[in-house]
Amino acid sequence: MFLMTILFTSASFLVLGVSVWVLIKEIFTVHVPPPIPQRVKFHMLHYFFQLTIALGNVLEKMKICPMPRFFRFIQDLLVTKNNFGVLVKNMHFGTIPVRLFQPKTTSSGPRKGIIFYHGGGGVFGSLDSYHNTCSYLARETDSVVLAVGYRKLPDHHHPTAYQDCLNATVHFLKELKAYGVDPARVVVSGESIGAGAAAIIAQVVLTRKDLPQFRAQVLINPVVQGINFQLPSYQQYSNAPFLSRKFLMTCACKYLAIDQSWKDAMLKGTFIPPDYWKKYEKWLSSDNIPQRFKSQGRQPEFPGSFNESAFLETNIVFRLEISPLLADDQTIAQLPETFLVSSEYDVLRDDTLLYKKRLERQGVPVTWCHLEDGFHGCIVLFDKNTLSFPCSKKAMSSTVSFIKGI
């Protein structure tokens, strides 16, 4: 009993100490951009986000629980699931957990289908944390929605998540009739890393003549390249709340099983061979970003002097299943109508702008929604009432409007 008391007291002091440390950092180092409304609420959300990560890191160092698993546990624990009046069914496609959302109302014919891959950098996110996003989409667009619960860190690295998403998608596309889905009206979609997966899979499905082709792709704050971390948004918002450049690169290295010691080489671009940059500069360069998104001042030299060792350790980022932005013009030109969402206060803003330009150059119809007061991951707060933001609701309403119109 005495030992238990000591352990409980020690744990309490540890949690208190971490909480105070994270609070001090929040007060003195976190900058909330002025256009984002309800700043106190924003600080509170960000504080609990950072506190959960910090506690997870402590547990991981103590070899009690990996940080990603702890974060997802807390994330799912706090979710209040709302089915929004649709039928929800948990299933498995082989070993891959999926969740099906189907409107209860009768339909005169097959419905639209939406395949959705959640965000979270391969670290966070789950079927539960994106449950409300998917059920709301199903109801508001009168569509059958399939959410894919792909495997993540710490147990699974690339290409597991990509393969899970692709395999679940192929299975669903082959069985559309069983789910009452019109093969001519299937949308592939996702948020953050999930949007990157959607972009990749939209390209892969083009080569599969045995499968129905997608009617559209919906990419919300997508990751479409892992090469240029000196784009204007990566510089302007390097310390952006919820997704800083450092945290993004840490997650990317862990997901891709790249040693963290190569982050500096990736940041400076010294891992890029000169002939690679000559080939891809026209798609990756900051010159593609509209002037209104650029800051004044001297830009860093990019890429830096080539380091062959860095290239050998990091060249996985040049593969199309990591950087779909690098697909050839013929592939890009065949992609379906696209809806893009970008957030101003997001390091990934310029990924969206680069992909938008590539698509438009090849004649792909693009609808673009830019959230002037948006931040990374804001869409998941669309139904959180007092914890929601105008950008959250705009991201969801714009997405719904696009899908209803196809």
Side-chain angles (χ1 to χ4, degrees):
M1 185 66 180
F2 177 70
L3 181 59
M4 289 296 292
T5 302
I6 292 176
L7 289 173
F8 178 78
T9 303
S10 300
S12 299
F13 275 113
L14 178 62
V15 171
L16 179 62
V18 173
S19 301
V20 171
W21 174 69
V22 173
L23 180 61
I24 291 172
K25 284 189 66 178
E26 184 69 32
I27 294 172
F28 293 104
T29 68
V30 176
H31 172 68
V32 180
I36 295 179
Q38 302 160 305
R39 298 162 67 81
V40 173
K41 179 173 70 177
F42 187 93
H43 271 297
M44 288 175 58
L45 283 172
H46 187 256
Y47 166 72
F48 284 111
F49 174 80
Q50 291 297 118
L51 177 60
T52 306
I53 292 175
L55 291 173
N57 285 332
V58 170
L59 292 175
E60 185 169 295
K61 288 178 181 178
M62 296 173 68
K63 302 188 183 303
I64 295 173
C65 177
M67 185 276 286
R69 195 170 294 140
F70 174 75
F71 190 99
R72 291 196 298 268
F73 170 75
I74 298 298
Q75 193 175 26
D76 291 347
L77 193 66
L78 297 176
V79 169
T80 302
K81 289 188 283 188
N82 186 341
N83 290 347
F84 288 106
V86 303
L87 295 171
V88 180
K89 185 177 181 181
N90 289 312
M91 309 162 60
H92 281 81
F93 288 171
T95 60
I96 307 165
V98 298
R99 189 167 293 174
L100 195 69
F101 302 82
Q102 296 173 296
K104 290 181 180 178
T105 56
T106 57
S107 176
S108 58
R111 287 186 160 95
K112 287 191 286 284
I114 302 172
I115 303 170
F116 186 88
Y117 316 120
H118 66 73
V123 179
F124 311 137
S126 65
L127 290 175
D128 282 350
S129 61
Y130 282 78
H131 180 99
N132 294 2
T133 300
C134 293
S135 58
Y136 188 82
L137 282 174
R139 187 189 73 180
E140 294 299 307
T141 65
D142 192 35
S143 304
V144 175
V145 176
L146 179 81
V148 181
Y150 57 86
R151 289 171 289 177
K152 293 173 279 294
L153 295 170
D155 302 315
H156 303 283
H157 300 266
H158 179 78
T160 303
Y162 158 69
Q163 290 174 339
D164 283 353
C165 290
L166 178 61
N167 290 337
T169 298
V170 169
H171 180 81
F172 186 65
L173 290 175
K174 288 182 175 180
E175 302 292 333
L176 293 177
K177 186 177 291 186
Y179 300 109
V181 174
D182 182 352
R185 295 191 298 160
V186 180
V187 177
V188 64
S189 65
E191 193 257 349
S192 189
I193 192 175
I200 295 161
I201 289 170
Q203 294 180 9
V204 172
V205 168
L206 290 174
T207 67
R208 294 288 301 266
K209 303 308 177 186
D210 59 322
L211 298 174
Q213 295 300 299
F214 293 123
R215 171 63 180 81
Q217 56 178 346
V218 171
L219 312 179
I220 303 166
N221 299 324
V223 185
V224 294
Q225 60 90 31
I227 299 159
N228 189 349
F229 294 101
Q230 293 291 350
L231 291 165
S233 61
Y234 285 86
Q235 296 180 58
Q236 295 160 2
Y237 309 122
S238 61
N239 294 314
F242 294 107
L243 187 64
S244 67
R245 180 168 61 178
K246 180 180 178 181
F247 188 57
L248 169 70
M249 296 185 72
T250 297
C251 290
C253 286
K254 288 183 177 179
Y255 172 68
L256 298 173
I258 295 172
D259 192 274
Q260 297 286 328
S261 63
W262 296 111
K263 280 197 299 186
D264 188 60
M266 294 175 71
L267 177 64
K268 295 175 180 177
T270 60
F271 71 101
I272 305 173
D275 57 326
Y276 277 47
W277 184 246
K278 184 177 180 180
K279 178 180 180 181
Y280 296 129
E281 181 181 8
K282 61 182 180 291
W283 300 331
L284 284 166
S285 169
S286 296
D287 293 340
N288 292 294
I289 305 301
Q291 192 61 41
R292 75 182 180 94
F293 291 105
K294 295 179 179 179
S295 299
Q296 299 299 318
R298 185 174 177 273
Q299 299 300 308
E301 182 181 342
F302 187 87
S305 300
F306 178 54
N307 179 336
E308 181 124 29
S309 297
F311 169 72
L312 292 172
E313 295 295 329
T314 63
N315 62 68
I316 187 175
V317 300
F318 291 99
R319 297 181 188 175
L320 292 182
E321 70 264 24
I322 303 298
S323 298
L325 179 70
L326 304 185
D328 58 52
D329 287 341
Q330 184 179 2
T331 298
I332 297 292
Q334 295 178 72
L335 289 170
E337 182 178 358
T338 302
F339 180 69
L340 296 171
V341 177
S342 58
S343 296
E344 178 59 33
Y345 302 104
D346 182 2
V347 292
L348 295 176
R349 180 198 67 194
D350 292 350
D351 277 42
T352 305
L353 298 180
L354 290 180
Y355 208 47
K356 175 177 179 288
K357 187 165 186 176
R358 283 226 62 198
L359 291 164
E360 290 175 337
R361 277 182 172 176
Q362 296 306 315
V364 177
V366 175
T367 302
W368 175 43
C369 171
H370 182 61
L371 306 172
E372 296 287 354
D373 59 345
F375 53 91
H376 194 77
C378 64
I379 193 171
V380 296
L381 300 171
F382 80 98
D383 67 328
K384 299 301 184 284
N385 300 318
T386 57
L387 295 180
S388 188
F389 291 82
C391 59
S392 308
K393 295 177 180 178
K394 182 179 178 182
M396 178 56 78
S397 64
S398 300
T399 301
V400 166
S401 178
F402 173 81
I403 295 174
K404 287 175 72 173
I406 63 175

